[in-house]
Amino acid sequence: SYTDNSVPVLIALRDMLKLARTANEVKKMINQKVIKINGRTVRDYRESINIFNILEAGKTYSLGLLDTGKFVFEEAKHKNMRLCKVINKKILKNKVVQLNLHDGSNVISNENIAVGDSVYLDFEGKIKKHVALQKGKEAVIISGKYIGLKGRIESKEGRKVNILIEKSEKPATLEQEAIVVEWQKKILWEKSELR
């Protein structure tokens, strides 16, 4: 489930980034208002950082996944935008469309965005970029047996997506387990390199 895709602030700062040695040091950092998630000041060390959310703690980090399925903080490519997967759509009053996102947030949009697509949101919650879940796009697998692996979408039928995973021969069929991304640099592998 998407709720498992998060790390508490305490664990992030103390155990993963090693920016503090104790819970008290983390609390002190929070009291000094130097820790932010998606541009919002953190108030409690139990708050969670969801996958692809932006953590500011001296440097700017994004929570990602290793191909072992473990979480990792990487320096953020986009310092003021976060990647979100659209997991549901709701029609509100006056035909206003609300997109429900994987990290529990939602956004109002009249753009033609489908469930399964991804959006890059700025810290005001405005959509800066829309990435459709379609053939040829890059994706990161965020749950299931291929968690943390990256690949290229080969085809899509309904809610099922076939993804050619890095270093594998045949596409895997996944449902709701991948998030489509737009890499800034070209992915490092091509089919010819797959052995």
Side-chain angles (χ1 to χ4, degrees), residues 1 5 69 141-149 174-178:
S1 79
N5 279 330
I141 295 148
I142 55 172
S143 62
K145 87 177 197 194
Y146 299 107
I147 190 166
L149 296 177
L174 307 169
E175 190 174 350
Q176 299 176 324
E177 291 174 0

Side-chain angles (χ1 to χ4, degrees), residues 1 3 8 24 28 32 34 59 70 88 90-91 102-103 108 110 114 125 144 155-156 158 181 193:
S1 79
T3 52
N24 277 338
K28 206 175 279 179
Q32 291 166 347
V34 293
K59 291 182 179 163
K70 286 191 164 64
N88 197 352
K90 221 179 189 171
I91 309 288
H102 81 279
D103 63 2
I108 303 295
N110 54 12
S155 66
K156 178 183 176 249
V181 295
E193 294 166 20

Side-chain angles (χ1 to χ4, degrees), residues 80-81 111 119-122 124 126-130:
N80 54 0
M81 281 196 299
E111 289 181 54
V119 290
Y120 284 88
L121 295 182
D122 67 14
E124 278 74 57
K126 293 192 172 52
I127 296 173
K128 290 295 177 191
K129 188 179 251 182
H130 164 225

Side-chain angles (χ1 to χ4, degrees), residues 5 51-52 62-72 74 140-143 147-150:
N5 279 330
I51 190 161
F52 300 121
S62 174
L63 181 61
L65 276 173
L66 293 171
D67 57 10
T68 56
K70 286 191 164 64
F71 287 115
V72 63
E74 302 157 319
V140 176
I141 295 148
I142 55 172
S143 62
I147 190 166
L149 296 177
K150 297 173 176 78

Side-chain angles (χ1 to χ4, degrees), residues 117 132-138 153-154 156 180:
D117 288 0
L133 181 67
Q134 63 193 31
K135 187 177 162 132
K137 293 283 186 190
E138 310 294 346
I153 297 167
E154 294 285 289
K156 178 183 176 249
V180 65

